[in-house]
């Protein structure tokens, strides 16, 4: 009996010690936090009951900083869209104040945006607000504001807008370079006008080029983060967030044959987003440096032809005569393998890294030449060959919204047309004028309202602060007769 009692006592003491250690270690709790010691920004992954990832805290952080954006693309005439005003009725109709008949059908689009500063700056996709006459921003708490387009960058499909409000919730930028394939991410946006929708997935790939922007812009930068988080129409411009509640991308595109989510979505990396938005705020437009090279991906076939023992990198096909790389000593058949010490395995990666720099910045390229590594420092230039960035912020004017590029009129042409001066339309893009008139390249603007125009600078001055109806007077060199264009402007 004495031996049995001693055995029971030892068992009880051992059991109590085990229970104490179990509680001390925290194994009695239903929720366990695992912390990974890595360079990834997602160092904290929460697991709830059953061992499943818990996205509740991420959603609570992200939702208030993601907004709904409604864009109104003016008034599209049901009859002929672009023609000259032939009567007073037509003139009022172009101004958007026709008292005779309302023949306009406003077109609307919807998307998402992310508040990146508490004073109202919001990043979204360029295609969400491109060519919009009005932008309405609705916050998570249902407050609604008129948004102002600060600037756009079609090369990355990004845009910056602003609302007049303070103390807004924001999403901090994460480091998209540190994002790893396989890590959890959350997409937040407004698909199908269903506000504040949260979906989850993993990073499927990085530095994806899907040629969705390059068809419109040869200098487009496509180095998307690919995920399998569900993204649908309306999610554009919304947030891709890591498990720390940090912004690592702006959701931009999906791979689909139906127009709806079919398994993969693509986001612009946050490091590129940060640079683009900072440029727009500081300079009024994106200040981008270029290497000035024609490149392609290195693969096994090309590596064999070049007798290289690597199969990843960026092969230099040729160089532009006045480009940055040529001036620094880069040569055709070089293979770039690193930029500023960071490996680059593909063209999209190289374009993204370089795209984060401004003219005048120096980048260090590590390349393979004749089987040996060589390091070259390159001072980046603009496409025009300058190393200068904008010296002061550029104030967005009504002129920016018109979608036309102007140039000086030659002395020979002024003399032939017997006019004192003017501003010649060099090109017509997407903007107010192209939407509401049939103005063509070559047209010379000689008067705006009651203001005489003698140079492109005069056009900018004439349109600063202009509102309501605008009347442009001018002459087309080929026709030699005075013509008028009228349209409305907010």
């Amino acid at each position: 009996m004495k031996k049995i009692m001693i055995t029971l006592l030892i068992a009880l003491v051992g059991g109590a010690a085990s229970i104490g250690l179990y509680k001390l270690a925290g194994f009695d709790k239903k929720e366990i936090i695992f912390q990974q010691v890595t360079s990834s920004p997602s160092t904290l992954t929460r697991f709830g009951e059953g061992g499943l990832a818990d996205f509740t805290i991420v959603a609570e952080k992200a939702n208030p900083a993601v907004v709904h954006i409604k864009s109104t693309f003016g008034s599209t005439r049901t009859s002929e869209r672009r023609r000259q005003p032939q009567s007073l009725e037509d003139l009022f109709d172009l101004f958007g104040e026709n008292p005779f008949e309302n023949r306009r059908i406003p077109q609307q689009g919807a998307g998402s945006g992310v508040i990146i500063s508490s004073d109202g700056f919001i990043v979204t996709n360029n295609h969400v607000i491109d060519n919009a006459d009005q932008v309405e921003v609705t916050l998570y708490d249902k407050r609604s504001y008129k948004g102002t387009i600060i600037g756009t960058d079609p090369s990355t499909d990004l845009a910056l807008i602003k609302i007049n409000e303070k103390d807004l919730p924001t999403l901090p930028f994460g480091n998209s370079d540190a994002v790893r394939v396989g890590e959890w991410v959350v997409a937040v946006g407004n698909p199908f006008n269903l506000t504040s929708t949260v979906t989850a997935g993993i990073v499927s790939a990085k530095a994806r080029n899907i040629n969705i922007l390059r068809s419109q812009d040869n200098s487009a930068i496509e180095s998307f983060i690919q995920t399998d988080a569900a993204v649908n129409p309306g999610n554009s411009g919304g947030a891709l967030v890591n498990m720390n509640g940090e912004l690592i991308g702006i959701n931009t595109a999906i791979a689909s044959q139906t127009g709806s989510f079919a398994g993969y979505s693509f986001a612009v990396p946050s490091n590129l987003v940060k640079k683009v938005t900072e440029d727009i705020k500081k300079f009024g437009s994106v200040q981008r440096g270029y290497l000035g090279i024609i490149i392609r991906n290195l693969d096994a076939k090309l590596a064999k032809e070049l007798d290289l023992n690597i199969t990843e990198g960026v092969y230099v096909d040729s160089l532009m005569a006045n480009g940055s790389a040529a001036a620094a000593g880069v040569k055709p058949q070089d293979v770039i393998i690193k930029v500023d010490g960071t490996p680059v395995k593909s063209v999209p990666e190289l374009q993204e890294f370089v795209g984060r720099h401004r003219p005048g910045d120096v980048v260090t390229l590590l390349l393979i030449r004749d089987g040996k590594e060589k390091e070259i420092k390159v001072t980046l230039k603009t496409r025009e060959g300058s190393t200068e960035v904008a010296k002061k912020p550029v104030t967005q004017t009504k002129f920016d919204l018109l979608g036309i590029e102007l140039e000086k009129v030659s002395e020979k042409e002024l003399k032939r047309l017997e006019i004192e001066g003017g501003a010649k339309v060099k090109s017509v893009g997407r903007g107010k004028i192209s939407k509401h008139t049939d103005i063509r390249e070559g047209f010379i603007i000689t008067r705006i309202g009651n203001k005489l125009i003698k140079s492109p600078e005069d056009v900018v001055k004439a349109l600063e602060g202009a509102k309501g109806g605008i009347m442009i007077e001018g002459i087309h060199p080929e026709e030699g007769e005075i013509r008028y264009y009228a349209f409305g402007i907010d």
Side-chain angles (χ1 to χ4, degrees):
M1 179 63 70
K2 186 176 181 181
K3 288 182 180 180
I4 292 173
M5 291 299 294
I6 291 172
T7 301
L8 286 173
L9 183 61
I10 292 172
L12 287 171
V13 171
S18 298
I19 291 171
L21 288 171
Y22 183 84
K23 289 182 174 291
L24 185 62
F27 294 125
D28 63 324
K29 298 178 181 178
K30 292 184 178 180
E31 186 178 276
I32 302 172
I33 298 177
F34 292 90
Q35 186 162 344
Q36 303 167 322
V37 186
T38 69
S39 59
S40 169
S42 298
T43 56
L44 186 64
T45 302
R46 296 178 61 84
F47 289 87
E49 191 170 0
L52 300 177
D54 181 2
F55 303 102
T56 56
I57 292 179
V58 177
E60 288 169 2
K61 287 183 178 181
N63 265 328
V66 177
V67 304
H68 181 264
I69 296 175
K70 183 170 69 176
S71 300
T72 302
F73 299 93
S75 303
T76 304
R77 293 175 59 91
T78 56
S79 57
E80 185 182 1
R81 185 179 179 189
R82 298 177 185 173
R83 62 185 179 94
Q84 296 305 304
Q86 303 296 326
S87 65
L88 180 62
E89 180 179 350
D90 284 337
L91 193 60
F92 273 115
D93 192 39
L94 285 169
F95 283 1
E97 301 170 356
N98 188 348
F100 302 99
E101 181 184 7
N102 182 6
R103 294 182 292 170
R104 294 175 174 272
I105 304 174
Q107 303 296 315
Q108 291 186 340
S112 306
V114 182
I115 305 172
I116 57 174
S117 69
S118 60
D119 57 348
F121 283 97
I122 298 167
V123 63
T124 185
N125 281 138
N126 177 57
H127 75 259
V128 171
I129 54 84
D130 185 31
N131 219 18
D133 294 314
Q134 295 180 2
V135 176
E136 181 183 343
V137 177
T138 303
L139 305 186
Y140 181 65
D141 60 9
K142 309 305 180 187
R143 286 182 290 168
S144 184
Y145 301 83
K146 180 180 179 180
T148 300
I149 300 173
I150 303 302
T152 63
D153 182 35
S155 295
T156 55
D157 197 13
L158 294 173
L160 186 67
I161 64 177
K162 191 179 187 305
I163 60 174
N164 292 323
E165 190 54 273
K166 297 179 180 179
D167 302 321
L168 294 170
T170 64
L171 265 181
F173 281 102
N175 180 8
S176 55
D177 287 349
V179 171
R180 297 187 303 173
V181 174
E183 73 171 87
W184 284 108
V185 288
V186 170
V188 185
N190 305 282
F192 307 117
N193 285 321
L194 300 171
T195 58
S196 305
T197 297
V198 177
T199 57
I202 63 168
V203 174
S204 305
K206 294 179 67 178
R208 284 293 199 211
N209 181 353
I210 57 176
N211 292 317
I212 195 171
L213 303 177
R214 197 164 301 281
S215 60
Q216 304 173 23
D217 187 343
N218 288 331
S219 62
I221 299 174
E222 292 194 29
S223 184
F224 295 116
I225 297 173
Q226 178 183 319
T227 79
D228 65 355
V231 169
N232 279 291
N235 268 113
S236 290
L240 186 68
V241 185
N242 65 20
M243 294 300 285
N244 281 347
E246 296 170 329
L247 182 68
I248 59 168
I250 294 297
N251 297 316
T252 299
I254 57 176
S256 172
Q257 295 179 337
T258 64
S260 298
F261 180 70
Y264 299 109
S265 56
F266 303 88
V268 180
S270 59
N271 288 355
L272 186 57
V273 174
K274 187 176 182 180
K275 191 268 180 182
V276 168
T277 54
E278 286 177 349
D279 274 6
I280 293 175
K281 287 175 70 174
K282 187 175 182 180
F283 303 105
S285 61
V286 178
Q287 305 297 302
R288 183 163 291 134
Y290 295 87
L291 283 173
I293 55 179
I294 307 300
I295 52 180
R296 56 181 164 135
N297 289 324
L298 181 68
D299 55 22
K301 181 179 179 181
L302 182 58
K304 185 176 180 180
E305 292 175 6
L306 299 173
D307 194 27
L308 296 174
N309 58 1
I310 59 171
T311 55
E312 293 180 321
V314 178
Y315 178 75
V316 179
D317 263 322
S318 59
L319 299 98
M320 297 179 185
N322 299 318
S324 310
V330 177
K331 296 181 179 181
Q333 297 187 355
D334 285 345
V335 178
I336 301 170
I337 58 174
K338 287 185 179 181
V339 177
D340 291 335
T342 302
V344 288
K345 300 178 180 179
S346 64
V347 168
E349 285 183 319
L350 177 62
Q351 290 177 325
E352 182 191 344
F353 283 126
V354 175
R356 296 181 203 165
H357 290 82
R358 297 172 180 147
D361 287 352
V362 177
V363 296
T364 302
L365 303 181
L366 181 64
L367 48 84
I368 303 293
R369 179 184 295 171
D370 299 328
K372 298 179 181 179
E373 291 188 356
K374 183 176 181 63
E375 191 173 271
I376 293 180
K377 294 186 180 298
V378 180
T379 301
L380 297 177
K381 301 178 183 179
T382 64
R383 288 190 219 178
E384 294 75 27
S386 171
T387 58
E388 299 294 323
V389 295
K391 296 184 182 300
K392 59 182 180 180
V394 178
T395 302
Q396 184 170 1
T397 66
K398 298 296 182 184
F399 173 68
D400 296 323
L401 303 178
L402 299 182
I404 58 173
E405 183 181 0
L406 300 175
E407 63 182 356
K408 292 182 179 180
V409 185
S410 68
E411 291 295 331
K412 183 179 179 181
E413 206 160 28
L414 290 174
K415 186 176 181 180
R416 181 174 67 84
L417 296 171
E418 297 180 347
I419 56 177
E420 295 181 19
K424 189 174 184 178
V425 177
K426 183 179 180 181
S427 63
V428 179
R430 300 170 68 180
K432 295 266 187 187
I433 283 185
S434 61
K435 286 174 63 178
H436 298 296
T437 75
D438 64 353
I439 198 168
R440 305 196 309 274
E441 294 178 6
F443 181 77
I444 298 173
I445 300 172
T446 57
R447 188 179 292 273
I448 295 180
N450 60 357
K451 296 180 180 179
L452 190 64
I453 302 300
K454 292 187 176 182
S455 67
E457 290 74 23
D458 287 343
V459 176
V460 177
K461 293 176 183 177
L463 293 174
E464 278 283 13
K467 293 183 179 180
I470 300 295
M471 178 69 79
I472 290 179
E473 177 184 328
I475 185 171
H476 202 290
E478 296 175 1
E479 300 168 358
E481 60 182 35
I482 296 175
R483 302 194 70 181
Y484 300 89
Y485 294 98
F487 59 94
I489 195 167
D490 293 334

